[in-house]
Amino acid sequence: MKDFYVLHGDILYADEERRIREERDSYLVVRDGKVEEITSRIPASTAVLDYDGCLIIPGLIDLHLHAPQYQFAGLFMDKELLEWLNSHTFPEEGKYADLSYARKAYSIFVSDLVQSETTRFSAFATIHEDASLLLSSMLEESGLSGYVGKVNMDSNSPDYLTEDTEESISSTISFIERMKDFKNVRPIITPRFIPSCSKRLLIELGKISESRHLPVQSHLDENISEIEWVRELVPESRNYADAYRAHGLWGREKTIMAHVVWPSDEEYELLKNSNIYVAHSPSSNSNLSSGIAPVRKMLDSGIKIALATDVAGGSSLSIMRMMTHAVEVSKLYYRYVDSTMRPLTFSEVFYIATRMAGSFFGSVGSFDEGMDADILVLDTSGIHTSIYEELSLSERLELYAYRRAGSPLKAKFVKGRKIL
Amino acid sequence: MKDFYVLHGDILYADEERRIREERDSYLVVRDGKVEEITSRIPASTAVLDYDGCLIIPGLIDLHLHAPQYQFAGLFMDKELLEWLNSHTFPEEGKYADLSYARKAYSIFVSDLVQSETTRFSAFATIHEDASLLLSSMLEESGLSGYVGKVNMDSNSPDYLTEDTEESISSTISFIERMKDFKNVRPIITPRFIPSCSKRLLIELGKISESRHLPVQSHLDENISEIEWVRELVPESRNYADAYRAHGLWGREKTIMAHVVWPSDEEYELLKNSNIYVAHSPSSNSNLSSGIAPVRKMLDSGIKIALATDVAGGSSLSIMRMMTHAVEVSKLYYRYVDSTMRPLTFSEVFYIATRMAGSFFGSVGSFDEGMDADILVLDTSGIHTSIYEELSLSERLELYAYRRAGSPLKAKFVKGRKIL
């Protein structure tokens, strides 16, 4: 594919004011993997990819998912978090000690992720260095871009998923170094959650993150029983967030905290104006009876939010579905928890899933000049309605999201490379 | 198609104890539009439709949807019920005074409903007799089976959707009589809801239902603002349900009450052991910020439940999606409203969507001998997982429901007729 080309179609993107901007029947100019401009006149002397009638939007971002759990996404949904971890999740993750199983399962995962609306991701692998590197290689080759974490667990876990502390540290360093030539996929420091890591392990992981300038991902305040467990395990910490902070794992580098369903007032303060991105996982939080994250309140507090499938707490790889699901559960939060917190709007979740989450990766998430050319082309032919012609582009996108999320895409580009 | 044939595949159905029964690699024998038996040996001398590896389940039932609203399903989701009715729903329904618009729009609706998992339905049309009859004819021809109601509205509605009371009554009778030769689709008495009907209209509709033995459908306790409005309009009624009962519209014949998100204790008593089916619409109730219906409590009280898309409060025609959505919101109900109400399980929602809802239509909803042969054949080839071979049929069905709800079906039969 050439380094300079143009996509033609109906173009939408989120601006900084969280509005959806619409450019009907326009041309998106891509040069050297970056967005150059959007124009209504066809640029001279270049290749045009004509997606007439299709919607062209920025790639969507999944800031928290567990790659090894994809094989049972959509199963065992009659359980809560801790029971679900022990009965199904940990045994499945244990299988990734076997590299041939990992190859088979990760092939399925990567193939389906390529088909999905996700262009950028941050994924948990397992504790196994080789299998985690294999996953990274497969993702690197796929053309998708994002982070993969070799998971760290040396405490309170089943024997077959418990690492020796020193091995966990050295294996993490080895994993990072073996990825030094990767271009699309980078390592991320990944203590599973507070219960699964000793103090020494947390401290060493914090040092690795700081010395190598690597981002961090973990879990925070997902489920009531989990929070109680953390309180018992680290009684000296003021709260769950403080347990990360005390060990150097709180936003020194860019950090993802998944869920944050039950933040305390003190935790709000720690999240504000920080380097932390909250990965909001509405489907997972419903599936595991965790609750509804207070996204409106966090947004209004200046906390950065991204959307996440949290496969396999979530059963779908579709971030488009998470957009509408985030709107839905925000309405139930408004109804049952706090009627001063108005529901999220469609334009807000579009903004969150693209521009806001994109900033985690640099100049990513919209179509400003110079941003990475991460692009989805949506096939609208499967939408059947008599009023289609009357609709604005934003309305068409909303219609697509509610009716067609997860459907096959027309095309997908990451950093200007067409991968689908 | 012959009157005697056999489907081969992996067969699942709900028994009376709300369990999922599994018959692997078996034969479902259909004769004269009825289920004859399930057998593990191929019956002699008949046609076999081989769906090897597919899941064969009873047709799913959508007990509440608004056919004219399908055109904007998935749009305008940033509003609550009463505002949504006035700004979008009523104007769209007004268009069905024009029969050519109705033909265009209902063609799209019927075509998509045929493609969906729904075999039986109960639908609201609009106030317009001719357009309602047109919808009924199109559904009759499609091979789907169910009820269509010409909607009654003579009060508190926009001018263009307000009928003269006497005309509303006579037009309802005319609609019923013009459908007398229909075989698959039958009329149902359909006062829109208490606010839109005068007392005289409600009383006359009750009489028509009773004298002609016709079922009734309406709305109950959907949204807090709607319930307050009903209280103002009929202060003499003890509650919303009582307003129907006082006018002869409470379960003399089989009756569908959509939503029932906020039943009072007295209303629970009225619903128990009655002829009423509650049409639970989890997506719509989230989308319109209505709330979460207390399905566990109703089930345990012996109240009959069905699932419903409530298009276009719901954005999808997939009842399979409503199954998983019902499980999801029941977990949030458990978390936020009443922790003694354990979440619904997958086998329970399968039972509700098939066997329990099916009883509204007679001997429908499972594969007992003599039941109507309403059958879906699910194509499992789109499910990608390394553990598929290890799974039970119930687990495969759960996986299909969470990952593939709304996907194209392999085949669909209603009363033994193959319609897809």
Side-chain angles (χ1 to χ4, degrees):
Chain A
M1 191 142 175
K2 288 183 184 172
D3 296 335
F4 176 41
Y5 58 89
V6 169
L7 280 74
H8 172 242
D10 291 330
I11 301 169
L12 301 100
Y13 57 95
D15 68 16
E16 290 182 343
E17 282 70 45
R18 306 179 187 184
R19 291 173 307 208
I20 302 178
R21 303 293 293 266
E22 313 183 352
E23 308 276 359
R24 199 179 279 253
D25 195 13
S26 291
Y27 299 87
L28 178 65
V29 182
V30 176
R31 193 189 297 266
D32 298 331
K34 308 276 185 192
V35 172
E36 187 165 278
E37 65 168 333
I38 296 171
T39 171
S40 58
R41 290 182 315 165
I42 181 166
S45 61
T46 187
V48 174
L49 302 172
D50 198 352
Y51 297 115
D52 191 45
C54 292
L55 303 178
I56 298 174
I57 64 170
L60 303 186
I61 291 153
D62 187 348
L63 217 56
H64 178 67
L65 82 167
H66 294 264
Q69 297 175 15
Y70 182 60
Q71 306 308 313
F72 64 91
L75 280 172
F76 321 127
M77 301 268 69
D78 292 339
K79 295 188 161 58
E80 269 196 64
L81 177 66
L82 297 183
E83 186 189 2
W84 174 83
L85 284 172
N86 288 310
S87 64
H88 298 290
T89 306
F90 290 152
E92 176 68 16
E93 290 196 14
K95 295 185 192 171
Y96 289 76
D98 171 2
L99 210 55
S100 72
Y101 182 77
R103 180 169 286 110
K104 178 180 167 190
Y106 281 147
S107 296
I108 294 171
F109 167 72
V110 173
S111 167
D112 280 9
L113 193 66
V114 168
Q115 303 286 324
S116 81
E117 297 126 357
T118 297
T119 49
R120 305 267 176 161
F121 59 85
S122 189
F124 279 52
T126 60
I127 60 168
H128 313 97
E129 181 187 333
D130 287 348
S132 302
L133 192 72
L134 176 66
L135 171 64
S136 301
S137 305
M138 295 168 88
L139 286 164
E140 170 83 6
E141 267 180 42
S142 77
L144 293 164
S145 186
Y147 294 96
V148 171
K150 184 214 101 61
V151 176
N152 299 99
M153 303 167 74
D154 72 345
S155 307
N156 301 305
S157 303
D159 286 349
Y160 58 86
L161 278 186
T162 302
E163 303 169 287
D164 169 81
T165 306
E166 301 312 314
E167 269 180 27
S168 182
I169 296 163
S170 63
S171 160
T172 300
I173 292 169
S174 170
F175 173 72
I176 293 163
E177 293 185 345
R178 290 165 80 186
M179 284 180 70
K180 69 179 190 308
D181 295 328
F182 282 50
K183 290 187 169 49
N184 297 318
V185 178
R186 304 292 304 147
I188 182 167
I189 301 300
T190 307
R192 186 178 199 114
F193 63 158
I194 291 293
S196 73
C197 297
S198 66
K199 290 184 187 189
R200 168 158 165 76
L201 181 54
L202 291 171
I203 288 168
E204 291 303 316
L205 293 175
K207 287 182 190 166
I208 295 170
S209 162
E210 192 172 15
S211 63
R212 295 168 187 260
H213 300 296
L214 291 176
V216 174
Q217 61 181 354
S218 198
H219 296 88
L220 180 67
D221 292 338
E222 178 175 1
N223 187 283
I224 288 172
S225 55
E226 168 220 20
I227 296 169
E228 283 168 7
W229 193 25
V230 170
R231 194 174 297 132
E232 289 166 20
L233 290 171
V234 276
E236 69 278 17
S237 289
R238 300 169 62 90
N239 50 54
Y240 199 155
D242 189 52
Y244 288 110
R245 196 174 64 148
H247 300 95
L249 287 161
W250 190 258
R252 287 188 185 167
E253 300 293 328
K254 279 183 184 169
T255 299
I256 299 163
M257 284 290 156
H259 308 305
V260 196
V261 177
W262 302 99
S264 65
D265 288 347
E266 288 182 331
E267 286 175 315
Y268 272 106
E269 293 306 314
L270 291 174
L271 287 163
K272 280 182 195 174
N273 306 311
S274 72
N275 232 345
I276 315 281
Y277 286 68
V278 170
H280 174 48
S281 313
S283 293
S284 170
N285 298 157
S286 300
N287 283 334
L288 297 174
S289 301
S290 298
I292 304 170
V295 176
R296 164 68 61 208
K297 190 172 173 188
M298 291 195 276
L299 267 185
D300 289 355
S301 306
I303 296 168
K304 289 187 277 292
I305 310 280
L307 295 182
T309 61
D310 189 33
V311 158
S315 57
S316 164
L317 284 173
S318 170
I319 283 289
M320 186 84 78
R321 186 161 295 158
M322 293 311 103
M323 286 168 49
T324 60
H325 210 149
V327 171
E328 280 174 42
V329 298
S330 77
K331 290 169 176 171
L332 296 175
Y333 188 89
Y334 157 83
R335 175 60 67 210
Y336 286 106
V337 184
D338 186 345
S339 64
T340 69
M341 292 295 149
R342 68 192 156 78
L344 299 177
T345 64
F346 181 73
S347 60
E348 285 177 315
V349 291
F350 180 62
Y351 168 83
I352 289 170
T354 56
R355 192 172 193 113
M356 195 172 218
S359 64
F360 189 84
F361 298 88
S363 190
V364 168
S366 195
F367 291 152
D368 298 1
E369 185 187 342
M371 280 188 164
D372 283 2
D374 292 3
I375 306 164
L376 302 182
V377 182
L378 308 179
D379 181 355
T380 57
S381 64
I383 301 174
H384 307 140
T385 171
S386 57
I387 61 172
Y388 193 75
E389 291 306 317
E390 303 160 25
L391 300 176
S392 70
L393 296 190
S394 301
E395 288 170 334
R396 290 178 189 185
L397 180 61
E398 183 184 7
L399 199 56
Y400 184 94
Y402 276 96
R403 288 203 197 181
R404 303 292 295 170
S407 298
L409 297 168
K410 191 84 172 179
K412 179 171 172 177
F413 303 75
V414 182
K415 298 182 185 176
R417 175 178 162 195
K418 188 170 187 297
I419 69 167
L420 188 72
Chain B
M1 190 144 175
K2 288 185 184 172
D3 296 335
F4 176 41
Y5 57 88
V6 169
L7 281 73
H8 172 243
D10 291 329
I11 301 169
L12 302 99
Y13 58 95
D15 69 16
E16 289 183 343
E17 282 70 45
R18 306 180 186 183
R19 290 174 307 210
I20 302 179
R21 303 294 293 266
E22 312 183 353
E23 309 275 0
R24 199 180 280 252
D25 195 13
S26 292
Y27 299 86
L28 177 65
V29 182
V30 177
R31 193 188 297 265
D32 299 331
K34 309 277 185 191
V35 172
E36 188 166 278
E37 65 167 334
I38 296 171
T39 171
S40 58
R41 290 184 314 166
I42 182 165
S45 61
T46 186
V48 174
L49 303 172
D50 197 353
Y51 297 116
D52 190 46
C54 291
L55 302 177
I56 298 174
I57 65 169
L60 303 186
I61 290 152
D62 187 348
L63 217 56
H64 179 68
L65 81 167
H66 294 264
Q69 297 175 16
Y70 182 60
Q71 306 308 312
F72 63 91
L75 281 172
F76 321 128
M77 300 270 71
D78 292 339
K79 295 189 161 57
E80 269 195 64
L81 177 65
L82 297 182
E83 185 189 3
W84 174 82
L85 285 172
N86 287 309
S87 64
H88 298 290
T89 306
F90 289 152
E92 177 68 18
E93 290 196 14
K95 294 184 191 173
Y96 289 76
D98 172 2
L99 211 55
S100 72
Y101 181 77
R103 180 168 288 111
K104 179 181 167 189
Y106 281 147
S107 297
I108 295 171
F109 167 72
V110 173
S111 167
D112 280 9
L113 193 65
V114 168
Q115 304 286 326
S116 81
E117 297 126 357
T118 297
T119 47
R120 306 268 175 160
F121 60 85
S122 189
F124 280 51
T126 61
I127 60 169
H128 313 97
E129 181 187 334
D130 287 348
S132 302
L133 192 72
L134 176 67
L135 171 63
S136 302
S137 306
M138 295 168 87
L139 286 164
E140 171 83 5
E141 268 181 40
S142 77
L144 293 164
S145 185
Y147 293 97
V148 171
K150 185 214 98 64
V151 176
N152 299 99
M153 303 166 75
D154 73 343
S155 307
N156 301 308
S157 303
D159 286 350
Y160 59 86
L161 276 187
T162 301
E163 303 169 286
D164 170 78
T165 305
E166 301 311 315
E167 270 181 26
S168 182
I169 297 164
S170 63
S171 158
T172 300
I173 293 170
S174 169
F175 172 72
I176 293 163
E177 293 185 343
R178 290 165 81 186
M179 285 181 69
K180 69 178 188 309
D181 295 329
F182 282 50
K183 290 185 169 53
N184 297 319
V185 179
R186 303 293 304 147
I188 183 167
I189 300 301
T190 307
R192 187 179 199 113
F193 64 157
I194 291 293
S196 73
C197 297
S198 67
K199 290 184 186 188
R200 170 160 163 74
L201 181 54
L202 291 171
I203 288 168
E204 290 303 317
L205 293 174
K207 287 182 188 167
I208 295 170
S209 162
E210 191 173 16
S211 64
R212 295 169 187 260
H213 300 296
L214 291 177
V216 174
Q217 61 181 353
S218 198
H219 296 88
L220 179 68
D221 293 337
E222 178 175 2
N223 189 284
I224 288 172
S225 55
E226 167 220 21
I227 296 169
E228 283 169 6
W229 193 24
V230 169
R231 194 175 295 131
E232 289 167 20
L233 289 170
V234 276
E236 68 278 16
S237 290
R238 301 168 61 90
N239 49 55
Y240 199 155
D242 188 53
Y244 289 110
R245 195 174 64 148
H247 300 95
L249 287 161
W250 189 259
R252 287 187 186 168
E253 299 293 329
K254 279 182 183 168
T255 298
I256 300 163
M257 285 290 157
H259 307 304
V260 196
V261 177
W262 301 98
S264 65
D265 289 347
E266 287 182 334
E267 287 174 315
Y268 271 106
E269 294 305 315
L270 291 174
L271 287 163
K272 279 182 196 174
N273 305 311
S274 72
N275 232 345
I276 314 282
Y277 285 68
V278 170
H280 174 47
S281 312
S283 292
S284 170
N285 297 158
S286 300
N287 283 334
L288 297 174
S289 300
S290 297
I292 303 170
V295 175
R296 165 68 60 207
K297 190 171 172 188
M298 290 195 276
L299 267 184
D300 288 354
S301 305
I303 295 168
K304 289 187 279 291
I305 310 280
L307 295 182
T309 61
D310 189 34
V311 157
S315 56
S316 163
L317 285 173
S318 170
I319 283 289
M320 186 84 78
R321 187 161 295 158
M322 293 311 103
M323 286 168 49
T324 59
H325 210 149
V327 170
E328 278 173 44
V329 299
S330 77
K331 291 169 176 172
L332 296 175
Y333 188 89
Y334 155 83
R335 175 60 66 211
Y336 286 106
V337 185
D338 186 345
S339 63
T340 69
M341 293 293 148
R342 68 192 156 79
L344 299 177
T345 64
F346 182 72
S347 59
E348 286 177 315
V349 292
F350 179 62
Y351 168 82
I352 289 171
T354 56
R355 191 171 194 114
M356 195 174 219
S359 65
F360 190 84
F361 298 89
S363 189
V364 168
S366 197
F367 290 153
D368 298 0
E369 185 187 341
M371 280 190 163
D372 284 2
D374 292 3
I375 306 164
L376 302 182
V377 183
L378 308 180
D379 182 355
T380 56
S381 64
I383 301 174
H384 307 141
T385 171
S386 57
I387 61 171
Y388 194 74
E389 291 307 316
E390 304 160 25
L391 300 176
S392 70
L393 297 190
S394 300
E395 289 170 334
R396 292 179 188 184
L397 181 61
E398 183 184 7
L399 200 55
Y400 184 95
Y402 275 95
R403 290 203 195 180
R404 303 292 296 170
S407 297
L409 298 169
K410 190 85 171 178
K412 179 171 172 177
F413 303 75
V414 183
K415 298 182 184 177
R417 176 177 161 196
K418 187 171 187 300
I419 69 168
L420 187 72

